[in-house]
Amino acid sequence: MRGWRLALLMVGILLIASVTGFYFISGGPRGGESSLTIYTYGSLFKYGDDPNATYAAVFGAFERQYNVNITVRYFSDAGDIIPALLSERNSPKADLVIGLTSVLAAKAKQENLLQPYAPPSLSKVPTYLVNDLDPDHYVVPYEYGLIAIDIDGSYINESAYPSIGSLSYEDLRAPALASSLLVENPATSSVGQDFLLSQIVFYQQVLKSDWKPWWRSVRDYVKVVPGWDDAFGIFSSANTNYHMVVSFGTDPAYSAYFNYTMYRTVVPQHNGTMYGWLQIEGMGIVNNAPHADTAKAFEEWMLSDVVQNLIPLNEWVYPAVSTVQLPDVYKFAIDPSKVSILNNLVPTSQLAQNLPQWLEEWQSIMAGS
Amino acid sequence: MAILGALPLAFVGLFSYFPQLDLYLSGLSQGDFLRVILSPLSRLAALNSLTQALLSATLAVLVGYPGGLIMARYRFPLKGAFQATAIVPFMLPTVVVATAFTATYGPAGLLGKALPWLSFMADGFTGIIAVNVFYNAPLVMFLVASSIERVDPELLHAASIFGGNRLHYIRRFLLPQTVSGAATGFLFTFLYSFMAFAVPLIVGGPRNFTLEVQIYTLFKQYLDFRGAAALALVQLAGLGAASYFYLSRTIAAAERTPASTGSAFTQEGLSLRRRRASTLSVLMYMAPVGFFLFAPIVGLALESLSGREGWSFDSYARLASTIVTTRLGIPLQSIVFNTVFFAAITSALAVSLGLISAYLTLRVFRSGRKYELFLFLPMMFSPVTTAFALYVALESQPPFNLIWPLIIASHVLVALPLTVRFLSNSLSKVPSELIEAASVSGSSRADALFRVELPLTWAGFVAAGAFAFATSLGEFAATNFLVTPEYTTMTVAVYQLLGLRMTQEAYALSTLLVLASFAIFAVAFRLQEELSLG
């Protein structure tokens, strides 16, 4: 009898261990002989009708064509990729990184994590996109989106706000509008960071004035949340008093395609001109990548018509290659060619250099100073 | 004993200390520490964390404590259901809770529209405290309940001597016993609130940013990895020192309160019907607290049912449809399976390791508190750095390259301190006479543990398992970092649905998560009741 219950406990632990073992055997080993490892953000090509089919069309097709085995490692967002690359600096596991924005690209360059490469099809990408991301081609663009503001027209419309169609940053300073606005926190969110950058560049370069008073006027009214998911969740909830949210210029196309509630989407204006900010997404070859040649071929594949055509309905942003025919629903989206692009006014390297100080100033303003 | 005792240490060593130290200590210099300590933003963050944590912990204990006494003392209709409801907040994703609070108490909310003064609960600093109390008061309740001495029914009748003077009984015996539960509840609420990330940001806004937020910001937005590591270590040292002090003084003293059969008191539960005065006071507590815990959950369910064109179950129908699961890239049943699988293994591992640790801390080791602290520290690393460290150190080593063992490891690390405390809390209340009696009668230690001690500590045991389960169900940050598409959990899927702009479906899935876990917990607590009585 003695100790038999202890034995029972041990059996229990063994049982758990074996169930665990079974689960992982049935899961099957992954990786192994792969010859191209890609690091990217969690939602790459996941916004379409059928992300598994898109995966097959992007990665599966390349695997067959080049007879390679691709491992895609998803990170919750692109910001996590740089520290992962840093920790593997001495023996890189990744060959290619997809999804770096200009600020992340500058950091990756500064840490010497990437090697420059210009795929042949980069010639089909507008020069300003290439230069706004990285003129030295350590990171090259494959897509870009436009930061915009979604407005729920059933609450905020011309009857109460006649100038809503030509909304400006100055209009947003009014407490009535500011208290309806949801903004992503630039200290935690990449969309929030892009919105802050666009507001700073607009005030500094277009209005030639200080960017900080705007935030001081709105800080007691706007709702600042950690990420886009949180912001849009609150915005589209039934019982909310926030009816404007910082989001993307392609949102109306997305709503139309999936038959979701249509919101009105605007880019802030000044003297009749829309001033917008592009979130340019790029890819780069890892320094000392084990399979750099395959990675280079994949960069070219990302700029091929096949993959570029998948971007509008699966990423819901614009393909970098300008000759790609856009789907019909894109007529609802804001056309970036009609927007004055703020990214072009300041070199990326300068933005990346100033960002820490701007963030610190922003945090201090919001904390009440 | 030594081998058994080494198991929990080996676990936290492999999954926390080895990866974290490997990550943190590479390339950190004195300058990094000075830089972050001297930064006014770090100090503001530390101050925010401290204020929020102290206030939340105090209020959570005030709100939860009477509930613990009631839960342990009285039998009442739907008790299992009340307990199961109370544990639900613990595993809800933060964005869901924040939305539920806004949908309930906000200016445009269900109650907020009629009672605008309630909106303090949905926004700003007061909102953070309200949500922290919502998350943690139930934990205090369970800890207090599980710290109340459980005694064999036969000894119970001897207790009738106290019948004449209930106040004396309460002051002399009942309250001292519950100090360890309340103190433990305070500690956990303090730690959870101090290290909170999403609640202060979503509910409170950017001015209420905590240290955890500042670490994340340094890491993700400033791309200052060494600064982030230095600040995380500073936070760890501060919280570690405070917790050690607290564990070795307050909690150790409370657990030393001699348990004696003389204070024997019913585990059978008093029926409420017989005492009108008690019934009234219990109701006066249960009504507002039950409402506070229940209203946001109802708000959440209503949110999933209220479309722009009125009420409907459409979001549930869409959730079950292939359109949604195709867009998620993984069938709903796999998501549910993953979630329950991770939670079950986490619960089993955390309770087994926790039992070993609690037993050794209380009965065998001299320096038990240091041992306990060693198991506590891993939860003071932010979940994202835990996940990142696990990824860097172990991702390429089979079997961890399968990812899901790492997900479970990250869940167990967070749940382990809770299970250790729950079990230690209730084991310490087993009357020493009973243990001595068992050893005199020739039982081995293990035999005494399984035959005498565990049957008397069912409440703590079940609560430990339930909270470990809930911790795993609700864990988001580490899971979201580690997860690969095939291991998507319900909490991760809620965020993915929000990302796909299927807001209502996200609330519907959260409501299903609530209902499913409610069912599991209700069965568990019902079983516990049966076991305690039988």
Side-chain angles (χ1 to χ4, degrees), chain A residues 2 5 20 23-24 30 39 47-48 51 86 107 154 186-187 193 220 223 236-238 254-255 363 366, chain B residues 202 207 214 217 221-223 225 303 308 326-327 329 337-338 391 401-402 404 442 450 481 500-501 503:
Chain A
R2 183 170 283 212
R5 281 163 208 258
T20 325
Y23 190 71
F24 103 68
R30 303 181 313 123
Y39 283 6
Y47 287 108
L86 275 172
K107 182 70 178 179
S154 47
Q193 186 179 299
D220 291 330
K223 175 99 177 158
S236 53
S237 134
Y254 186 87
S255 306
Q363 282 187 290
M366 299 312 276
Chain B
I202 299 182
R207 81 181 49 176
Q214 191 58 19
T217 304
Q221 304 299 90
Y222 291 77
L223 302 171
F225 308 123
E303 188 75 33
R308 288 176 86 85
T326 312
R327 290 204 63 197
F337 176 79
N338 287 337
Y391 168 79
N401 58 350
L402 294 161
W404 67 266
F450 282 94
F481 183 93
L500 293 170
R501 274 189 49 187
T503 313

Side-chain angles (χ1 to χ4, degrees), chain B residues 35 99 106 170 252 282 306 333 356 380 422 472 479 483 526 532:
Chain B
R35 183 160 53 87
T99 313
I170 290 173
V282 166
S306 60
Q333 62 268 29
I356 295 169
M380 295 169 208
F422 260 110
S472 170
T479 315
V483 78
R526 186 80 210 117
S532 311

